[in-house]
Amino acid sequence: MTTPSEPAHARPDPGLSAIMSERRHLINLAYRLLGSLADAEDVVQETYARWYAMSREQQDAIDSPGAWLTTVASRICLDLLGSARARRERYVGEWIPEPLPEQSEWSADRPGAAGTDPADRVTLDESVNMAFLVVLESMTPAQRVAFILHDVFRYSFAEVAGIVGRTEAACRQLATSARRRIRAAQPPSAPAARQAGIVRDFKRAWEAKDIDALVNLLDPDVTGTADGGGVVNAVLRPIEGRERLARRFVEIARLAPDVTILERTVNGRPGLVARQDGATVVVMAFDVAGDRIKRIWAVLNPEKLRPWTEI
């Protein structure tokens, strides 16, 4: 405990304790708001830069460093979401949220099993699965921030209002409209073990170039979306229909016979990773409902895959 006789420099640094206790929370928040781990890390770095830009007296005057950091990070994200819309209008092809790097394999019994979760990694739950993140991309920045802060991180609407600069009533309405979007766009998912089994069957059919087996695993209205970012060759528009998508996957398998397909957890759900010459070239996420695959997201943009090559 600090006494009046202790020199100021002997007091513990509140910023250091905030970093140790809040970093994971801020990364989790920023990733869900932005859909990019790289951008989330930049936001957290900028948040702490602003903390340390203040004098010690200004830091001491803040009752809750954690609340201050959350407010600042959320406001930075809100600003970035506004500019991101303009950037994505110029993006070549479809933009898919950046998949979280995860080195754990999954099995039909324990999909998503993982080891130690470092403090700077995102905690996996249903609010980071790819289907959820894609729906978030359709929301306005204010909707997204209000919904994530209240429904995912359980901030009160009074706290949300203070962060986004709107009234409590307005924030409540934003979250309600966002909730409707989520419910309308996300049908009930298959049980985790069932998802794993279907994705594994897809992997085997793909490797075998078995078009009939692939068709049987896909929903008639399945959609496949690829994100090459204009850097690598990828279809620029989603492919719809199971026959067309199955043929596309067989064509890819024939064009790249030396690619290894691995079972990996992708944003908390069973997914697939394609590696070639030691580098990750595709990360695939799946949306499985019932006994069929309804959506496939394939990220090929090397900028989004760099963390997957490093793990």
Side-chain angles (χ1 to χ4, degrees):
M1 186 174 75
T2 301
T3 64
S5 60
E6 286 181 302
H9 63 76
R11 289 177 290 167
D13 179 1
L16 179 59
S17 64
I19 286 177
M20 296 302 293
S21 63
E22 298 295 332
R23 179 173 173 78
R24 177 184 294 183
H25 166 74
L26 295 174
I27 287 287
N28 273 278
L29 173 65
Y31 175 75
R32 285 164 175 81
L33 290 176
L34 301 175
S36 166
L37 187 57
D39 288 347
E41 291 170 341
D42 288 344
V43 165
V44 174
Q45 183 175 350
E46 172 63 20
T47 300
Y48 284 124
R50 294 187 186 185
W51 171 265
Y52 282 114
M54 293 189 296
S55 67
R56 183 57 182 274
E57 289 72 21
Q58 290 172 315
Q59 292 174 356
D60 289 342
I62 295 173
D63 293 332
S64 173
W68 186 93
L69 291 167
T70 294
T71 298
V72 171
S74 298
R75 288 174 178 169
I76 295 173
C77 288
L78 190 58
D79 290 341
L80 287 175
L81 284 169
S83 61
R85 285 181 174 270
R87 293 200 310 271
R88 287 169 195 170
E89 287 176 359
R90 301 189 298 269
Y91 196 81
V92 178
E94 298 292 319
W95 189 94
I96 297 175
E98 181 182 334
L100 292 174
E102 177 58 64
Q103 61 185 345
S104 67
E105 297 184 24
W106 48 263
S107 69
D109 297 323
R110 295 184 64 205
T116 303
D117 183 20
D120 59 349
R121 290 297 179 89
V122 175
T123 303
L124 298 177
D125 62 25
E126 284 303 297
S127 67
V128 295
N129 75 64
M130 194 61 74
F132 186 91
L133 293 175
V134 169
V135 177
L136 291 180
E137 287 297 316
S138 69
M139 299 179 186
T140 67
Q143 275 182 326
R144 187 165 181 168
V145 173
F147 174 75
I148 292 295
L149 285 172
H150 180 266
D151 283 43
V152 178
F153 288 93
R154 303 303 179 188
Y155 284 87
S156 69
F157 281 117
E159 293 170 310
V160 175
I163 290 172
V164 301
R166 301 201 183 193
T167 65
E168 288 187 46
C171 291
R172 192 180 301 275
Q173 182 57 42
L174 287 169
T176 298
S177 58
R179 219 172 287 129
R180 290 197 199 101
R181 284 177 177 261
I182 294 290
R183 284 197 297 264
Q186 284 196 286
S189 297
R194 184 64 182 144
Q195 291 182 48
I198 291 171
V199 172
R200 175 169 289 135
D201 289 344
F202 179 91
K203 172 181 177 289
R204 290 169 177 165
W206 186 16
E207 291 173 327
K209 306 177 187 64
D210 188 338
I211 193 167
D212 291 332
L214 286 170
V215 168
N216 288 334
L217 290 165
L218 299 173
D219 185 87
D221 298 320
V222 66
T223 300
T225 305
D227 177 350
V231 181
V232 299
N233 185 32
V235 291
L236 299 180
R237 294 288 180 268
I239 298 175
E240 298 179 349
R242 58 184 177 184
E243 287 82 9
R244 288 185 62 208
L245 192 57
R247 286 196 298 270
R248 177 61 177 168
F249 273 101
V250 169
E251 178 186 355
I252 292 170
R254 288 173 177 161
L255 291 174
D258 57 337
V259 169
T260 301
I261 310 299
L262 304 173
E263 299 172 355
R264 292 290 184 268
T265 300
V266 179
N267 286 60
R269 290 187 177 180
L272 298 176
V273 171
R275 293 179 67 86
Q276 187 175 37
D277 299 326
T280 297
V281 292
V282 183
V283 171
M284 296 172 56
F286 296 81
D287 186 21
V288 179
D291 293 328
R292 296 290 184 270
I293 296 169
K294 293 189 67 68
R295 286 175 289 185
I296 301 176
W297 297 276
V299 178
L300 299 90
N301 187 338
E303 292 299 314
K304 297 182 178 182
L305 297 181
R306 187 176 294 115
W308 286 83
T309 298
E310 295 170 353
I311 63 173

